[in-house]
Amino acid sequence: KAGVTQTPRYLIKTRGQQVTLSCSPISGHRSVSWYQQTPGQGLQFLFEYFSETQRNKGNFPGRFSGRQFSNSRSEMNVSTLELGDSALYLCASSPITAGNTEAFFGQGTRLTVV
Amino acid sequence: QQQVKQSPQSLIVQKGGISIINCAYENTAFDYFPWYQQFPGKGPALLIAIRPDVSEKKEGRFTISFNKSAKQFSLHIMDSQPGDSATYFCAASDSGGSNYKLTFGKGTLLTVNP
């Protein structure tokens, strides 16, 4: 079974630009979550989507948004990029069946804002 | 408010030794406690997980000990190997509700010397 696929792996953007990251979950997984990982703050939850609906959102500004498509693939968008948005963005997929809430992560997209 | 506190930040052990990483949580609604292993340039990989109905779970050289009354859980790596050198994250979630998300500890950088 293929794992979680995130594209692109690396991205360099200029402050003020916007960026879109993509995540393809494990086949059959309907829940997709996004996390931001930085050396100072660690892994922080951004949002979670299930069946194309955002169910939960972390404490991030409105510049961070996402969506999920009918095939469970998800995208996240960051507008008006700031230097502090430089981070590893991780996507995790989960089956979310009764008693099974395991989350499997992709390799992440390394975003550098200059 | 840091809901999951992890210690130590870094740990150095000799090959063959026991590595112990501790975590404490505050939210009594948490009912799923996974540990993740992350190598440089990779996403976190699920290592082992436990639910509060058991006090210990063992998988190979990895053991989780769980103390519900103290709201603490720990990861023990027996016979530590240089290949175990990585960053380890504990996490917790409340899987009973529809708001599925993982709250992570800050991570422990483990170095196993040969």
Side-chain angles (χ1 to χ4, degrees):
Chain A
K1 213 176 204 182
V4 178
T5 303
Q6 291 189 245
T7 56
R9 288 291 311 280
Y10 303 93
L11 210 48
I12 299 175
K13 288 287 187 179
T14 304
R15 193 170 47 179
Q17 287 186 313
Q18 75 165 19
V19 67
T20 299
L21 313 181
S22 180
C23 172
S24 293
I26 293 171
S27 177
H29 288 193
R30 294 166 63 191
S31 169
V32 174
S33 302
W34 288 89
Y35 293 81
Q36 181 195 63
Q37 185 175 24
T38 59
Q41 297 300 316
L43 281 146
Q44 293 187 289
F45 174 80
L46 280 156
F47 28 66
E48 187 246 352
Y49 286 87
F50 182 83
S51 293
E52 302 179 66
T53 300
Q54 184 184 92
R55 296 198 297 182
N56 199 4
K57 188 174 180 356
N59 190 24
F60 279 82
R63 300 185 297 105
F64 292 81
S65 63
R67 60 177 176 168
Q68 186 181 34
F69 302 94
S70 58
N71 62 358
S72 294
R73 190 178 70 84
S74 177
E75 290 181 346
M76 70 163 280
N77 184 278
V78 188
S79 62
T80 319
L81 284 165
E82 300 177 0
L83 296 179
D85 297 332
S86 294
L88 180 66
Y89 289 89
L90 293 159
C91 165
S93 79
S94 301
I96 308 292
T97 56
N100 186 351
T101 51
E102 294 178 333
F104 299 89
F105 285 84
Q107 296 204 75
T109 294
R110 170 75 62 185
L111 172 65
T112 302
V113 182
V114 297
Chain B
Q1 182 190 15
Q2 186 183 352
Q3 293 196 48
V4 178
K5 294 184 179 180
Q6 183 172 346
S7 64
Q9 275 189 304
S10 62
L11 181 62
I12 300 174
V13 300
Q14 293 300 120
K15 178 183 175 182
I18 302 174
S19 304
I20 302 174
I21 305 171
N22 301 299
C23 284
Y25 63 98
E26 299 167 6
N27 188 346
T28 54
F30 287 153
D31 63 353
Y32 174 68
F33 303 90
W35 284 87
Y36 284 85
Q37 178 190 57
Q38 186 176 29
F39 293 103
K42 303 289 187 182
L46 179 63
L47 198 58
I48 186 173
I50 198 168
R51 294 193 182 274
D53 52 343
V54 297
S55 60
E56 187 174 282
K57 183 175 181 180
K58 183 176 180 179
E59 289 185 1
R61 295 184 295 110
F62 301 92
T63 300
I64 299 179
S65 297
F66 185 82
N67 185 328
K68 188 174 181 179
S69 61
K71 292 188 286 184
Q72 295 175 346
F73 58 110
S74 60
L75 176 69
H76 291 63
I77 306 174
M78 313 299 288
D79 187 26
S80 298
Q81 299 296 312
D84 296 331
S85 297
T87 301
Y88 291 81
F89 294 93
C90 62
S93 74
D94 169 12
S95 61
S98 62
N99 297 325
Y100 177 71
K101 72 173 189 177
L102 287 167
T103 299
F104 283 88
K106 293 288 190 182
T108 296
L109 178 61
L110 171 65
T111 302
V112 181
N113 289 327

